[in-house]
């Protein structure tokens, strides 16, 4: 297979940068992970290291366009990035697309990471109206409607984590109070269930399954928050499928089961809500599947 038949995607996160090379049939030919160095220079340097390592993995120079998914507000047309706090990129527009293209020596297409993941989620479930709900450090959704990404006028479509639901709740990093992200995110979960080492989500769900009363309460509130995000998305967009992903989703089937239980509880007092069969629309990204990096490769493929 020629290099032109391959697609390359980079998912640049605050902790790790994950790169993949896809074959024409969508299968993963190679993947590489490296720790992300923060700041504009660090992000570009990390991307270059991952790109070079991918070329070594497939045994030849990669010359086609590269799709890059990043957190924050992305101006796709101009290739600019703003407010990527997790990357230590704040304030004015950063011309990340052009910086990466110059460093990598190939064309680059820039996209928000959750939006990119939504394209891969759509391919997984084979539907045209799909929401990818990323339950990671934060909480955000990528929207594919009629087979096309919906970014919004300011690139903020799907920022479901910043929907306030609890007037008496905690102050969110966005400046509002009681946002869903203060309840249903990896950051919120780590604060509610701190662990000395290892992922707090896995520890929490294991403790709840073992009958720990406090763990059950923390798990149920967390899953209520995820279910509330699903409800809001379904009532505003009415997608065919909602796919759960992100770091917390590595818990796997126990997370889906608890979110389904919360969705059914929400519908108990509302025949209208129950009729929408929200729980039946939920699925999960397969465990350890690099959905954001694959989505970035799909962005590159057009």
């Amino acid at each position: 297979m020629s290099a032109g038949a391959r697609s390359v995607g980079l998912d640049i996160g605050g902790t790790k940068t994950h790169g993949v090379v896809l074959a024409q049939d969508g299968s993963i030919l190679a993947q590489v992970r490296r720790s992300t160095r923060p700041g504009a220079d660090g992000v570009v340097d990390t991307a270059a290291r991952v790109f070079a390592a991918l070329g070594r993995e497939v045994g030849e120079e990669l010359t086609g366009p590269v799709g890059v998914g990043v957190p924050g507000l992305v101006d796709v047309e101009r290739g600019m990035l703003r407010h990527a706090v997790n990357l230590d990129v704040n304030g004015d527009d950063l011309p990340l697309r052009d910086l990466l293209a110059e460093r990598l020596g190939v064309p680059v297409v820039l996209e928000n990471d959750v939006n990119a993941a939504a394209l891969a989620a759509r391919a997984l479930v084979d539907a045209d109206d799909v929401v990818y709900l990323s339950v990671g450090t934060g909480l955000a959704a990528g929207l594919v409607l009629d087979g096309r990404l919906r970014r919004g006028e300011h690139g903020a479509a799907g920022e479901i984590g910043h929907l306030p639901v609890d007037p008496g709740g905690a102050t969110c990093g966005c400046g509002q109070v009681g946002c869903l992200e203060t309840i249903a995110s990896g950051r919120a979960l780590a604060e509610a269930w701190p662990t000395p080492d290892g992922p707090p989500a896995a520890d929490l769900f294991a403790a709840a399954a073992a009958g720990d009363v406090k763990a059950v309460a923390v798990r149920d509130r967390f899953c209520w928050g995820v279910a509330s995000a699903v409800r809001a998305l379904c009532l505003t967009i009415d997608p065919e499928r909602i796919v759960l992903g992100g770091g917390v989703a590595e818990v796997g089937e126990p997370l889906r089961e608890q979110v389904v239980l919360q969705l059914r509880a929400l519908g108990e007092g509302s025949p209208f809500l129950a009729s929408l069969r929200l729980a039946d629309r939920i699925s999960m990204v397969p465990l350890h599947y690099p959905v954001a990096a694959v989505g970035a490769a799909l962005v590159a493929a057009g």
Side-chain angles (χ1 to χ4, degrees):
M1 179 181 291
S2 68
R6 297 171 175 176
S7 300
V8 180
L10 303 181
D11 169 33
I12 301 177
T15 304
K16 298 286 186 183
T17 291
H18 193 168
V20 299
V21 180
L22 298 188
Q24 200 166 25
D25 64 1
S27 60
I28 298 173
L29 295 174
Q31 53 182 314
V32 170
R33 289 185 182 88
R34 296 287 187 271
S35 296
T36 302
R37 189 160 65 86
D41 292 342
V43 165
V44 172
D45 180 65
T46 304
R49 288 190 291 113
V50 170
F51 183 69
L54 287 171
R56 292 192 294 271
E57 286 288 319
V58 298
E60 60 184 69
E61 184 180 5
L62 298 169
T63 59
V66 176
V68 177
V70 288
L73 297 180
V74 175
D75 184 328
V76 174
E77 295 299 322
R78 297 167 57 226
M80 297 287 185
L81 175 65
R82 286 184 291 128
H83 299 302
V85 178
N86 291 340
L87 299 179
D88 197 21
V89 174
N90 300 298
D92 296 336
D93 287 348
L94 176 72
L96 185 58
R97 179 191 64 194
D98 294 346
L99 291 172
L100 288 170
E102 181 179 0
R103 182 68 177 273
L104 302 183
V106 297
V108 169
V109 184
L110 197 65
E111 182 58 84
N112 171 268
D113 57 347
V114 179
N115 284 347
L119 293 175
R122 180 210 176 194
L124 285 172
V125 300
D126 192 24
D128 284 337
D129 283 344
V130 177
V131 169
Y132 169 72
L133 183 58
S134 177
V135 191
T137 303
L139 180 70
L143 317 176
V144 179
L145 307 177
D146 294 327
R148 300 181 63 183
L149 273 176
R150 171 62 178 162
R151 299 182 181 93
E153 180 66 22
H154 300 284
E159 289 287 354
I160 190 70
H162 298 301
L163 179 68
V165 295
D166 182 6
T171 299
C172 182
C174 75
Q176 300 184 102
V177 173
C179 292
L180 273 173
E181 191 166 290
T182 67
I183 299 168
S185 68
R187 186 184 294 110
L189 193 150
E191 291 177 0
W193 191 260
T195 53
D197 48 35
D203 187 82
L204 170 67
F205 275 76
D212 184 306
V213 174
K214 182 181 178 182
V216 169
V218 172
R219 179 201 64 189
D220 288 355
R221 179 166 170 76
F222 175 83
C223 291
W224 172 87
V226 177
S228 295
V230 170
R231 175 178 58 178
L233 289 162
C234 286
L235 289 174
T236 51
I237 298 164
D238 196 24
E240 182 180 351
R241 300 289 295 276
I242 290 192
V243 183
L244 300 181
V248 178
E250 287 292 305
V251 169
E253 185 62 15
L255 173 64
R256 190 196 68 82
E257 290 174 353
Q258 293 302 319
V259 172
V260 163
L261 286 175
Q262 292 293 333
L263 285 169
R264 289 181 174 150
L266 290 172
E268 285 178 359
S270 170
F272 163 68
L273 198 61
S275 73
L276 298 179
R277 303 178 67 87
L278 305 186
D280 295 341
R281 309 188 200 189
I282 299 289
S283 61
M284 301 280 295
V285 171
L287 285 178
H288 312 310
Y289 182 75
V291 63
V294 170
L298 295 177
V299 168

